[in-house]
Amino acid sequence: MPDRPLIETVDLVKTYRVGSSTVKALDHFSIDIEEGEMVAIMGPSGSGKTSLLNLIGALDRPDSGTVRVKNVEIDRLGEEQRARFRKHNIGFIFQFFNLIPSLTAIENVLVPIMFEKEKPTRKAADLLERVGLGDRFDHLPGMLSGGERQRVAIARALINDPLIILADEPTGNIDSETAREIVSLFKELNDEGKTLVLATHDRLVAGRAKVMVKIRDGRMVRGKAHSRDGMMSLSPKEGGGREK
Amino acid sequence: MRDREGRLATRKKARKRGPDGDPKRLTPLGYILRETWRNRSRTFFSITGIASLALLFILFSSMDKGLEDYFEDESEGVPSDESKELFKVKQVMDDWVYLISVLCWALMVLVVMNTATITVVERKLELGSLRAIGISSVQVSFLVIGSMMLIVAAGIASGLLASLVLIPLLDIANLSMLGGGLDLPLVYDPVSILNTILLGLGSGALGLIPPLLMIIRSSPVEVLRDAG
Ligand SMILES: Nc1ncnc2c1ncn2[C@@H]1O[C@H](COP(=O)(O)OP(=O)(O)O)[C@@H](O)[C@H]1O
Ligand SMILES: [Mg+2]
C-alpha cells in the first residue's frame, strides 16, 4: 500500500437539519494532512470549521464521504469504537477549555485515563510542568486564568500521547499575549512531531501554522486573499488539500 | 473491583506524597465523591427524601409485623376489647401496608429519577466533554450510576439508622396517635430491613433508566456546540 497521509478526508458532506430546512456545513470537502504538519483552518464563523474538526476527531460522522485517520476509516466506526479511537489518537482542545470544575489541574490532566488501571501520574505532573504550570497542580480551574486553563487542557490532550491534536478556536477566549504563548506551545509540539489541526480566525495563530487552509460555506477556498494581508503564502502543498 | 488491596495501598502511598513522590491519582470513585461533595446541598435533600421514605416503609412494616405476631401469639379464648379493636386495625393495615409500600417505592423512584436527571442535565457540558476526550458513554453512565448508588445507599442507611432509634421509642410511647389510644405493637423485623434495602436497589435501578437513556442518546457534538 502506498504511503497515505495521516489524515485524509474525501468529499465530506455534513448537513444539519434545522426544523424543516437543512444547513450544509461541509460541502464535498477534501483535505489531506500529512504527519507532522501544522494546519490552520481559517474561515468566518459558520464556515464549517468545527464540523470538520469533529469529523476528523471521530466525534461525529459525515452524511457522505470518508474520513481516514491513520488508515482507519473512522466514519465507519460505531460509537464506542470512536470513543476508543479518540482516546488513543486524538487530543482535543476547545475554545472554552472544558475542564472539570471540581477537579484540580493535575486531576484534570488525568481525566482521560481515569478508568485505566495504569495511571501515569508522574507523566501528568511532567506535562503540567511542561506547559508551565509546575506550581499549579492543586489549583481548581476556577482559580486559574483563561490561559492557564487552556494550558491544563493542552496537558490533558497530551496524556495519551496522541499523534494528532485538534484545537477548535484555542485562543478564542484568551488575551492576545497569552494566545501568543499558547501558539508557541503548539509550535513546540509540532516541532516534536505532533500533527496539529487548528480551527481559528485568529491571524496570529494561523500565521504560525505551516499550512493554511481557508474554508467558506463548507468548501475549501484557495488562500489568495491572504497575500493581500501580507500574512503568508500557502504551503508548498497548495493548501495541503485537493479540491473537488 | 479487582486489585482493591493494591489500589488502596497505592492510594495511601499517594497521599503522603513527598517532594519527589507521585502526585495524587484520579479514580472514577474519587471523581464521583468530588462531584457529590460539590453538589452537597442537593445531595443532602435527595438523601433526606430517600431516608424519610425508607423510614416510613420500615415503620409500616413493623406495625404490620407487630399485629401479625400479636394475633399469632394470642391463645384461644374470649378476645379482649383491646384485641377486638386491634383486629380492626389489622384489617385496615392489611390493605394499607401494600399501598404504603408501593407508594414509598414509587416516590423513591421519583426521587432517584429527579436527582439523576438534574445531575445529567446540569452536568451536560461536563459529561459531553468527557465523551469528547474519549470516555465512552458506558463509562460516563457508570459515573452517574455510581453517584446515585452513593446517594441511595446513604439514604437507606440513614433511614434504617433512624428507624433503629425511632421504632423502640414509638413502641414505648405506645403509638397512641396512630392506634387511636391502643397499645399498637411494633416489631422490628429483620426481613423488613432486607426489604428496605431491596426497595432502595429497585428504585435506584428504575429511576436511573431515563437519565441513562438521556446520556446514551445525547451526542457530545450537540452538547459542545450548545455550550460554545
Ligand atoms: N447542530 C447543528 N444544528 C444546526 N446547524 C448547525 C449545527 N452545527 C453546525 N450548524 C451549522 O453549520 C454551519 C457550520 O457550523 P460550524 O461547523 O460550527 O462552523 P464554524 O466552526 O466555522 O463556526 C453553520 O451554519 C452552523 O449554523
Ligand atoms: Mg466553530
mmCIF file with all atom_site columns, all heavy atoms in Angstrom, chain B residues 45-57 108 152 154-160 162:
data_model
loop_
_atom_site.group_PDB
_atom_site.id
_atom_site.type_symbol
_atom_site.label_atom_id
_atom_site.label_alt_id
_atom_site.label_comp_id
_atom_site.label_asym_id
_atom_site.label_entity_id
_atom_site.label_seq_id
_atom_site.pdbx_PDB_ins_code
_atom_site.Cartn_x
_atom_site.Cartn_y
_atom_site.Cartn_z
_atom_site.occupancy
_atom_site.B_iso_or_equiv
_atom_site.pdbx_formal_charge
_atom_site.auth_seq_id
_atom_site.auth_comp_id
_atom_site.auth_asym_id
_atom_site.auth_atom_id
_atom_site.pdbx_PDB_model_num
ATOM 1   N N   . PHE B 1 45  ? -30.547 16.843 50.180 1.00 0.00 ? 45  PHE B N   1
ATOM 2   C CA  . PHE B 1 45  ? -32.004 16.765 50.073 1.00 0.00 ? 45  PHE B CA  1
ATOM 3   C C   . PHE B 1 45  ? -32.442 15.410 49.527 1.00 0.00 ? 45  PHE B C   1
ATOM 4   O O   . PHE B 1 45  ? -33.427 14.839 49.990 1.00 0.00 ? 45  PHE B O   1
ATOM 5   C CB  . PHE B 1 45  ? -32.547 17.890 49.188 1.00 0.00 ? 45  PHE B CB  1
ATOM 6   C CG  . PHE B 1 45  ? -32.589 19.198 49.910 1.00 0.00 ? 45  PHE B CG  1
ATOM 7   C CD1 . PHE B 1 45  ? -31.891 20.298 49.439 1.00 0.00 ? 45  PHE B CD1 1
ATOM 8   C CD2 . PHE B 1 45  ? -33.323 19.328 51.081 1.00 0.00 ? 45  PHE B CD2 1
ATOM 9   C CE1 . PHE B 1 45  ? -31.926 21.496 50.125 1.00 0.00 ? 45  PHE B CE1 1
ATOM 10  C CE2 . PHE B 1 45  ? -33.362 20.532 51.770 1.00 0.00 ? 45  PHE B CE2 1
ATOM 11  C CZ  . PHE B 1 45  ? -32.652 21.622 51.284 1.00 0.00 ? 45  PHE B CZ  1
ATOM 12  N N   . SER B 1 46  ? -31.720 14.916 48.555 1.00 0.00 ? 46  SER B N   1
ATOM 13  C CA  . SER B 1 46  ? -32.086 13.616 47.992 1.00 0.00 ? 46  SER B CA  1
ATOM 14  C C   . SER B 1 46  ? -31.936 12.524 49.040 1.00 0.00 ? 46  SER B C   1
ATOM 15  O O   . SER B 1 46  ? -32.801 11.655 49.171 1.00 0.00 ? 46  SER B O   1
ATOM 16  C CB  . SER B 1 46  ? -31.204 13.293 46.791 1.00 0.00 ? 46  SER B CB  1
ATOM 17  O OG  . SER B 1 46  ? -31.216 14.364 45.886 1.00 0.00 ? 46  SER B OG  1
ATOM 18  N N   . ILE B 1 47  ? -30.849 12.598 49.782 1.00 0.00 ? 47  ILE B N   1
ATOM 19  C CA  . ILE B 1 47  ? -30.633 11.589 50.822 1.00 0.00 ? 47  ILE B CA  1
ATOM 20  C C   . ILE B 1 47  ? -31.747 11.663 51.857 1.00 0.00 ? 47  ILE B C   1
ATOM 21  O O   . ILE B 1 47  ? -32.292 10.650 52.282 1.00 0.00 ? 47  ILE B O   1
ATOM 22  C CB  . ILE B 1 47  ? -29.245 11.794 51.482 1.00 0.00 ? 47  ILE B CB  1
ATOM 23  C CG1 . ILE B 1 47  ? -28.146 11.447 50.476 1.00 0.00 ? 47  ILE B CG1 1
ATOM 24  C CG2 . ILE B 1 47  ? -29.111 10.930 52.731 1.00 0.00 ? 47  ILE B CG2 1
ATOM 25  C CD1 . ILE B 1 47  ? -26.748 11.661 50.981 1.00 0.00 ? 47  ILE B CD1 1
ATOM 26  N N   . THR B 1 48  ? -32.097 12.890 52.239 1.00 0.00 ? 48  THR B N   1
ATOM 27  C CA  . THR B 1 48  ? -33.162 13.058 53.229 1.00 0.00 ? 48  THR B CA  1
ATOM 28  C C   . THR B 1 48  ? -34.466 12.468 52.722 1.00 0.00 ? 48  THR B C   1
ATOM 29  O O   . THR B 1 48  ? -35.195 11.791 53.463 1.00 0.00 ? 48  THR B O   1
ATOM 30  C CB  . THR B 1 48  ? -33.369 14.551 53.537 1.00 0.00 ? 48  THR B CB  1
ATOM 31  O OG1 . THR B 1 48  ? -32.104 15.173 53.642 1.00 0.00 ? 48  THR B OG1 1
ATOM 32  C CG2 . THR B 1 48  ? -34.145 14.736 54.808 1.00 0.00 ? 48  THR B CG2 1
ATOM 33  N N   . GLY B 1 49  ? -34.779 12.736 51.455 1.00 0.00 ? 49  GLY B N   1
ATOM 34  C CA  . GLY B 1 49  ? -36.015 12.205 50.878 1.00 0.00 ? 49  GLY B CA  1
ATOM 35  C C   . GLY B 1 49  ? -36.043 10.691 50.915 1.00 0.00 ? 49  GLY B C   1
ATOM 36  O O   . GLY B 1 49  ? -37.029 10.085 51.362 1.00 0.00 ? 49  GLY B O   1
ATOM 37  N N   . ILE B 1 50  ? -34.954 10.101 50.496 1.00 0.00 ? 50  ILE B N   1
ATOM 38  C CA  . ILE B 1 50  ? -34.903 8.637  50.466 1.00 0.00 ? 50  ILE B CA  1
ATOM 39  C C   . ILE B 1 50  ? -34.953 8.073  51.886 1.00 0.00 ? 50  ILE B C   1
ATOM 40  O O   . ILE B 1 50  ? -35.656 7.103  52.161 1.00 0.00 ? 50  ILE B O   1
ATOM 41  C CB  . ILE B 1 50  ? -33.628 8.167  49.722 1.00 0.00 ? 50  ILE B CB  1
ATOM 42  C CG1 . ILE B 1 50  ? -33.771 8.507  48.239 1.00 0.00 ? 50  ILE B CG1 1
ATOM 43  C CG2 . ILE B 1 50  ? -33.402 6.672  49.905 1.00 0.00 ? 50  ILE B CG2 1
ATOM 44  C CD1 . ILE B 1 50  ? -32.534 8.314  47.426 1.00 0.00 ? 50  ILE B CD1 1
ATOM 45  N N   . ALA B 1 51  ? -34.266 8.745  52.804 1.00 0.00 ? 51  ALA B N   1
ATOM 46  C CA  . ALA B 1 51  ? -34.264 8.287  54.197 1.00 0.00 ? 51  ALA B CA  1
ATOM 47  C C   . ALA B 1 51  ? -35.672 8.326  54.777 1.00 0.00 ? 51  ALA B C   1
ATOM 48  O O   . ALA B 1 51  ? -36.106 7.389  55.453 1.00 0.00 ? 51  ALA B O   1
ATOM 49  C CB  . ALA B 1 51  ? -33.317 9.149  55.021 1.00 0.00 ? 51  ALA B CB  1
ATOM 50  N N   . SER B 1 52  ? -36.415 9.411  54.515 1.00 0.00 ? 52  SER B N   1
ATOM 51  C CA  . SER B 1 52  ? -37.768 9.516  55.062 1.00 0.00 ? 52  SER B CA  1
ATOM 52  C C   . SER B 1 52  ? -38.652 8.408  54.522 1.00 0.00 ? 52  SER B C   1
ATOM 53  O O   . SER B 1 52  ? -39.439 7.810  55.263 1.00 0.00 ? 52  SER B O   1
ATOM 54  C CB  . SER B 1 52  ? -38.400 10.863 54.697 1.00 0.00 ? 52  SER B CB  1
ATOM 55  O OG  . SER B 1 52  ? -37.478 11.888 54.814 1.00 0.00 ? 52  SER B OG  1
ATOM 56  N N   . LEU B 1 53  ? -38.530 8.158  53.238 1.00 0.00 ? 53  LEU B N   1
ATOM 57  C CA  . LEU B 1 53  ? -39.360 7.110  52.642 1.00 0.00 ? 53  LEU B CA  1
ATOM 58  C C   . LEU B 1 53  ? -38.994 5.742  53.201 1.00 0.00 ? 53  LEU B C   1
ATOM 59  O O   . LEU B 1 53  ? -39.872 4.920  53.473 1.00 0.00 ? 53  LEU B O   1
ATOM 60  C CB  . LEU B 1 53  ? -39.203 7.135  51.121 1.00 0.00 ? 53  LEU B CB  1
ATOM 61  C CG  . LEU B 1 53  ? -39.839 8.356  50.449 1.00 0.00 ? 53  LEU B CG  1
ATOM 62  C CD1 . LEU B 1 53  ? -39.394 8.467  49.002 1.00 0.00 ? 53  LEU B CD1 1
ATOM 63  C CD2 . LEU B 1 53  ? -41.354 8.291  50.539 1.00 0.00 ? 53  LEU B CD2 1
ATOM 64  N N   . ALA B 1 54  ? -37.689 5.533  53.382 1.00 0.00 ? 54  ALA B N   1
ATOM 65  C CA  . ALA B 1 54  ? -37.255 4.257  53.953 1.00 0.00 ? 54  ALA B CA  1
ATOM 66  C C   . ALA B 1 54  ? -37.803 4.108  55.369 1.00 0.00 ? 54  ALA B C   1
ATOM 67  O O   . ALA B 1 54  ? -38.276 3.034  55.760 1.00 0.00 ? 54  ALA B O   1
ATOM 68  C CB  . ALA B 1 54  ? -35.733 4.181  53.956 1.00 0.00 ? 54  ALA B CB  1
ATOM 69  N N   . LEU B 1 55  ? -37.769 5.196  56.102 1.00 0.00 ? 55  LEU B N   1
ATOM 70  C CA  . LEU B 1 55  ? -38.259 5.179  57.485 1.00 0.00 ? 55  LEU B CA  1
ATOM 71  C C   . LEU B 1 55  ? -39.757 4.876  57.514 1.00 0.00 ? 55  LEU B C   1
ATOM 72  O O   . LEU B 1 55  ? -40.228 4.040  58.290 1.00 0.00 ? 55  LEU B O   1
ATOM 73  C CB  . LEU B 1 55  ? -37.969 6.528  58.135 1.00 0.00 ? 55  LEU B CB  1
ATOM 74  C CG  . LEU B 1 55  ? -38.344 6.666  59.607 1.00 0.00 ? 55  LEU B CG  1
ATOM 75  C CD1 . LEU B 1 55  ? -37.587 5.647  60.434 1.00 0.00 ? 55  LEU B CD1 1
ATOM 76  C CD2 . LEU B 1 55  ? -38.048 8.072  60.101 1.00 0.00 ? 55  LEU B CD2 1
ATOM 77  N N   . LEU B 1 56  ? -40.500 5.543  56.662 1.00 0.00 ? 56  LEU B N   1
ATOM 78  C CA  . LEU B 1 56  ? -41.936 5.321  56.574 1.00 0.00 ? 56  LEU B CA  1
ATOM 79  C C   . LEU B 1 56  ? -42.226 3.862  56.260 1.00 0.00 ? 56  LEU B C   1
ATOM 80  O O   . LEU B 1 56  ? -43.081 3.222  56.875 1.00 0.00 ? 56  LEU B O   1
ATOM 81  C CB  . LEU B 1 56  ? -42.516 6.215  55.470 1.00 0.00 ? 56  LEU B CB  1
ATOM 82  C CG  . LEU B 1 56  ? -44.033 6.315  55.395 1.00 0.00 ? 56  LEU B CG  1
ATOM 83  C CD1 . LEU B 1 56  ? -44.561 7.069  56.606 1.00 0.00 ? 56  LEU B CD1 1
ATOM 84  C CD2 . LEU B 1 56  ? -44.464 7.008  54.109 1.00 0.00 ? 56  LEU B CD2 1
ATOM 85  N N   . PHE B 1 57  ? -41.474 3.361  55.319 1.00 0.00 ? 57  PHE B N   1
ATOM 86  C CA  . PHE B 1 57  ? -41.679 1.979  54.883 1.00 0.00 ? 57  PHE B CA  1
ATOM 87  C C   . PHE B 1 57  ? -41.429 1.010  56.028 1.00 0.00 ? 57  PHE B C   1
ATOM 88  O O   . PHE B 1 57  ? -42.237 0.113  56.302 1.00 0.00 ? 57  PHE B O   1
ATOM 89  C CB  . PHE B 1 57  ? -40.746 1.680  53.705 1.00 0.00 ? 57  PHE B CB  1
ATOM 90  C CG  . PHE B 1 57  ? -40.794 0.263  53.232 1.00 0.00 ? 57  PHE B CG  1
ATOM 91  C CD1 . PHE B 1 57  ? -41.823 -0.181 52.415 1.00 0.00 ? 57  PHE B CD1 1
ATOM 92  C CD2 . PHE B 1 57  ? -39.808 -0.639 53.597 1.00 0.00 ? 57  PHE B CD2 1
ATOM 93  C CE1 . PHE B 1 57  ? -41.867 -1.488 51.971 1.00 0.00 ? 57  PHE B CE1 1
ATOM 94  C CE2 . PHE B 1 57  ? -39.853 -1.959 53.157 1.00 0.00 ? 57  PHE B CE2 1
ATOM 95  C CZ  . PHE B 1 57  ? -40.882 -2.378 52.345 1.00 0.00 ? 57  PHE B CZ  1
ATOM 96  N N   . MET B 1 108 ? -39.770 6.885  45.863 1.00 0.00 ? 108 MET B N   1
ATOM 97  C CA  . MET B 1 108 ? -38.318 6.738  45.861 1.00 0.00 ? 108 MET B CA  1
ATOM 98  C C   . MET B 1 108 ? -37.783 6.718  44.428 1.00 0.00 ? 108 MET B C   1
ATOM 99  O O   . MET B 1 108 ? -36.752 7.312  44.136 1.00 0.00 ? 108 MET B O   1
ATOM 100 C CB  . MET B 1 108 ? -37.931 5.453  46.586 1.00 0.00 ? 108 MET B CB  1
ATOM 101 C CG  . MET B 1 108 ? -36.725 5.643  47.481 1.00 0.00 ? 108 MET B CG  1
ATOM 102 S SD  . MET B 1 108 ? -36.260 4.125  48.287 1.00 0.00 ? 108 MET B SD  1
ATOM 103 C CE  . MET B 1 108 ? -37.006 4.312  49.873 1.00 0.00 ? 108 MET B CE  1
ATOM 104 N N   . VAL B 1 152 ? -28.364 6.732  47.179 1.00 0.00 ? 152 VAL B N   1
ATOM 105 C CA  . VAL B 1 152 ? -29.380 5.778  47.624 1.00 0.00 ? 152 VAL B CA  1
ATOM 106 C C   . VAL B 1 152 ? -28.879 5.030  48.863 1.00 0.00 ? 152 VAL B C   1
ATOM 107 O O   . VAL B 1 152 ? -29.602 4.893  49.852 1.00 0.00 ? 152 VAL B O   1
ATOM 108 C CB  . VAL B 1 152 ? -29.730 4.785  46.489 1.00 0.00 ? 152 VAL B CB  1
ATOM 109 C CG1 . VAL B 1 152 ? -30.588 3.655  47.022 1.00 0.00 ? 152 VAL B CG1 1
ATOM 110 C CG2 . VAL B 1 152 ? -30.453 5.502  45.361 1.00 0.00 ? 152 VAL B CG2 1
ATOM 111 N N   . ALA B 1 154 ? -26.688 5.983  51.044 1.00 0.00 ? 154 ALA B N   1
ATOM 112 C CA  . ALA B 1 154 ? -26.684 6.871  52.207 1.00 0.00 ? 154 ALA B CA  1
ATOM 113 C C   . ALA B 1 154 ? -28.096 7.091  52.726 1.00 0.00 ? 154 ALA B C   1
ATOM 114 O O   . ALA B 1 154 ? -28.336 7.108  53.940 1.00 0.00 ? 154 ALA B O   1
ATOM 115 C CB  . ALA B 1 154 ? -26.042 8.205  51.840 1.00 0.00 ? 154 ALA B CB  1
ATOM 116 N N   . GLY B 1 155 ? -29.057 7.234  51.819 1.00 0.00 ? 155 GLY B N   1
ATOM 117 C CA  . GLY B 1 155 ? -30.449 7.460  52.210 1.00 0.00 ? 155 GLY B CA  1
ATOM 118 C C   . GLY B 1 155 ? -31.023 6.256  52.945 1.00 0.00 ? 155 GLY B C   1
ATOM 119 O O   . GLY B 1 155 ? -31.611 6.400  54.022 1.00 0.00 ? 155 GLY B O   1
ATOM 120 N N   . ILE B 1 156 ? -30.817 5.085  52.387 1.00 0.00 ? 156 ILE B N   1
ATOM 121 C CA  . ILE B 1 156 ? -31.359 3.868  53.004 1.00 0.00 ? 156 ILE B CA  1
ATOM 122 C C   . ILE B 1 156 ? -30.701 3.653  54.368 1.00 0.00 ? 156 ILE B C   1
ATOM 123 O O   . ILE B 1 156 ? -31.364 3.367  55.364 1.00 0.00 ? 156 ILE B O   1
ATOM 124 C CB  . ILE B 1 156 ? -31.107 2.647  52.095 1.00 0.00 ? 156 ILE B CB  1
ATOM 125 C CG1 . ILE B 1 156 ? -31.852 2.804  50.769 1.00 0.00 ? 156 ILE B CG1 1
ATOM 126 C CG2 . ILE B 1 156 ? -31.501 1.361  52.785 1.00 0.00 ? 156 ILE B CG2 1
ATOM 127 C CD1 . ILE B 1 156 ? -33.348 2.678  50.853 1.00 0.00 ? 156 ILE B CD1 1
ATOM 128 N N   . ALA B 1 157 ? -29.384 3.843  54.408 1.00 0.00 ? 157 ALA B N   1
ATOM 129 C CA  . ALA B 1 157 ? -28.667 3.650  55.672 1.00 0.00 ? 157 ALA B CA  1
ATOM 130 C C   . ALA B 1 157 ? -29.176 4.616  56.734 1.00 0.00 ? 157 ALA B C   1
ATOM 131 O O   . ALA B 1 157 ? -29.423 4.224  57.881 1.00 0.00 ? 157 ALA B O   1
ATOM 132 C CB  . ALA B 1 157 ? -27.172 3.828  55.459 1.00 0.00 ? 157 ALA B CB  1
ATOM 133 N N   . SER B 1 158 ? -29.365 5.891  56.361 1.00 0.00 ? 158 SER B N   1
ATOM 134 C CA  . SER B 1 158 ? -29.849 6.858  57.350 1.00 0.00 ? 158 SER B CA  1
ATOM 135 C C   . SER B 1 158 ? -31.257 6.511  57.792 1.00 0.00 ? 158 SER B C   1
ATOM 136 O O   . SER B 1 158 ? -31.598 6.647  58.974 1.00 0.00 ? 158 SER B O   1
ATOM 137 C CB  . SER B 1 158 ? -29.847 8.289  56.796 1.00 0.00 ? 158 SER B CB  1
ATOM 138 O OG  . SER B 1 158 ? -28.862 8.468  55.859 1.00 0.00 ? 158 SER B OG  1
ATOM 139 N N   . GLY B 1 159 ? -32.097 6.085  56.837 1.00 0.00 ? 159 GLY B N   1
ATOM 140 C CA  . GLY B 1 159 ? -33.468 5.707  57.178 1.00 0.00 ? 159 GLY B CA  1
ATOM 141 C C   . GLY B 1 159 ? -33.485 4.546  58.163 1.00 0.00 ? 159 GLY B C   1
ATOM 142 O O   . GLY B 1 159 ? -34.219 4.562  59.150 1.00 0.00 ? 159 GLY B O   1
ATOM 143 N N   . LEU B 1 160 ? -32.641 3.560  57.904 1.00 0.00 ? 160 LEU B N   1
ATOM 144 C CA  . LEU B 1 160 ? -32.586 2.394  58.785 1.00 0.00 ? 160 LEU B CA  1
ATOM 145 C C   . LEU B 1 160 ? -32.064 2.781  60.160 1.00 0.00 ? 160 LEU B C   1
ATOM 146 O O   . LEU B 1 160 ? -32.583 2.350  61.182 1.00 0.00 ? 160 LEU B O   1
ATOM 147 C CB  . LEU B 1 160 ? -31.700 1.309  58.168 1.00 0.00 ? 160 LEU B CB  1
ATOM 148 C CG  . LEU B 1 160 ? -32.307 0.553  56.981 1.00 0.00 ? 160 LEU B CG  1
ATOM 149 C CD1 . LEU B 1 160 ? -31.301 -0.421 56.387 1.00 0.00 ? 160 LEU B CD1 1
ATOM 150 C CD2 . LEU B 1 160 ? -33.566 -0.202 57.421 1.00 0.00 ? 160 LEU B CD2 1
ATOM 151 N N   . ALA B 1 162 ? -32.249 5.698  61.578 1.00 0.00 ? 162 ALA B N   1
ATOM 152 C CA  . ALA B 1 162 ? -33.291 6.461  62.267 1.00 0.00 ? 162 ALA B CA  1
ATOM 153 C C   . ALA B 1 162 ? -34.354 5.520  62.819 1.00 0.00 ? 162 ALA B C   1
ATOM 154 O O   . ALA B 1 162 ? -34.841 5.707  63.938 1.00 0.00 ? 162 ALA B O   1
ATOM 155 C CB  . ALA B 1 162 ? -33.917 7.467  61.310 1.00 0.00 ? 162 ALA B CB  1
#
